[in-house]
Amino acid sequence: MRYIWVLLVALLIVGCQDNAEVDDPQVEEPTTSVDEDKEEEEAEPDPVEEQQETEPEQVNEEVKTATEFESEPVNNQVINVTEARVIAEENLAKSIELMQDIQIEHSDWFGVEEESDAYVEGVKETKSALSNTISEAAVDEWAATYFEEFFMYNHLYKVLHPSQLNTHFELKEFTEDKFTLSFIQLGDEAFMGTEHYDLTYVKEGDQWKFNGYDSGQVNRDLNLSEEDLMHAFLNYETLERLKGELVDEQQHDGDKYLIMEYGDMLKAINSRTGVIDPFFLDDTES
């Protein structure tokens, strides 16, 4: 009986141990599950962090776009009236230089008759040279004009010299490939009256080229001032604008004359008509 009792106690103890071993995993299971969920939560991307990681790329893209936009006006900047004047002066001077080179090479063309073989050959070579300074649309007409001025008439009447761009400059029209420069050419009682010009340039490739002009006599009172005439003349060789200074004002035949000094030159200019009187100073000095 005592043996049976001991055996029952032993079986009871073993049964309790077995139950304890089974229950242990059940207790640990929730802990393991929580840890795994935590790891999964840590591994899952945070929407806020993901947004922060992508934001720098978006900002960089916006900065690049803004920079390109800001640089665009620089590349397509509208030139001002002074820049347009300089373009015209340098272009006209270059055309004259090219013609002077042709004169040196072909002195036998002086005085040729129009439509002669020499004339046709001369205009052809002139066109080839001036295609660097005159637009494709205008070069045929102006090649003949330049050749005639330099070889047949020996004067610059239709061909403009930079020194003829005097005052009242205005940029009347401007696009990316075209501009029109308006100005007044002061007259001279010994030769011609005051004229108004609209000088047009077009862009071919990356170069501005002469495209012709419209002109006409000025039939209005100009009321020129010292400021209008301060930079009306330039140095023939350097093309630099001379700075003028008003040294006197005089009345003559009801008109006011501005006596302007440009270096060692004195010019008497009618403020109403814009005509330079080459004899006025001699008359007033006598």
Side-chain angles (χ1 to χ4, degrees), residues 84-122:
R85 176 182 59 76
V86 171
I87 289 171
E89 289 172 350
E90 292 180 348
N91 172 272
L92 294 173
K94 181 61 177 178
S95 293
I96 290 174
E97 180 183 341
L98 291 170
M99 292 305 302
Q100 289 172 338
D101 291 342
I102 296 176
Q103 282 182 321
I104 294 173
E105 295 175 6
H106 298 282
S107 58
D108 55 307
W109 286 347
F110 282 99
V112 298
E113 295 183 2
E114 191 172 348
E115 305 304 330
S116 66
D117 291 342
Y119 175 91
V120 173
E121 183 182 355

Side-chain angles (χ1 to χ4, degrees), residues 51-70:
Q51 183 178 3
Q52 291 175 349
E53 290 177 359
T54 58
E55 277 180 355
E57 295 179 0
Q58 295 174 354
V59 171
N60 289 339
E61 185 177 353
E62 290 175 359
V63 170
K64 180 180 178 182
T65 304
T67 302
E68 289 175 350
F69 179 81
E70 290 172 359

Side-chain angles (χ1 to χ4, degrees), residues 112-253:
V112 298
E113 295 183 2
E114 191 172 348
E115 305 304 330
S116 66
D117 291 342
Y119 175 91
V120 173
E121 183 182 355
V123 170
K124 182 179 180 180
E125 182 159 337
T126 298
K127 176 182 176 181
S128 177
L130 295 184
S131 62
N132 295 311
T133 57
I134 299 179
S135 71
E136 183 178 352
V139 70
D140 283 330
E141 174 188 354
W142 284 94
T145 300
Y146 268 84
F147 181 81
E148 292 170 5
E149 294 282 272
F150 277 83
F151 284 96
M152 297 172 64
Y153 308 131
N154 199 28
H155 61 62
L156 298 181
Y157 179 69
K158 295 181 180 179
V159 170
L160 287 174
H161 188 279
S163 63
Q164 293 172 271
L165 281 63
N166 296 131
T167 188
H168 281 203
F169 294 102
E170 180 185 355
L171 195 57
K172 295 182 64 176
E173 175 187 6
F174 182 86
T175 64
E176 291 183 358
D177 55 6
K178 182 179 181 180
F179 72 80
T180 298
L181 178 67
S182 174
F183 66 92
I184 296 291
Q185 175 191 319
L186 298 176
D188 191 325
E189 286 189 348
F191 300 100
M192 64 185 67
T194 302
E195 292 198 9
H196 172 270
Y197 283 82
D198 286 335
L199 189 60
T200 303
Y201 276 80
V202 296
K203 202 166 194 178
E204 293 183 353
D206 60 351
Q207 186 175 354
W208 287 106
K209 295 186 178 183
F210 173 78
N211 197 53
Y213 64 73
D214 294 322
S215 64
Q217 290 288 323
V218 175
N219 298 315
R220 59 183 176 85
D221 291 350
L222 294 175
N223 297 318
L224 295 172
S225 64
E226 177 185 5
E227 184 178 357
D228 293 327
L229 301 173
M230 186 174 295
H231 300 287
F233 298 93
L234 51 76
N235 183 304
Y236 267 66
E237 294 182 358
T238 66
L239 299 184
E240 292 181 359
R241 288 275 155 179
L242 301 173
K243 185 176 181 180
E245 181 181 355
L246 179 66
V247 296
D248 195 11
E249 291 185 9
Q250 296 188 26
Q251 296 287 330
H252 181 70
D253 291 340

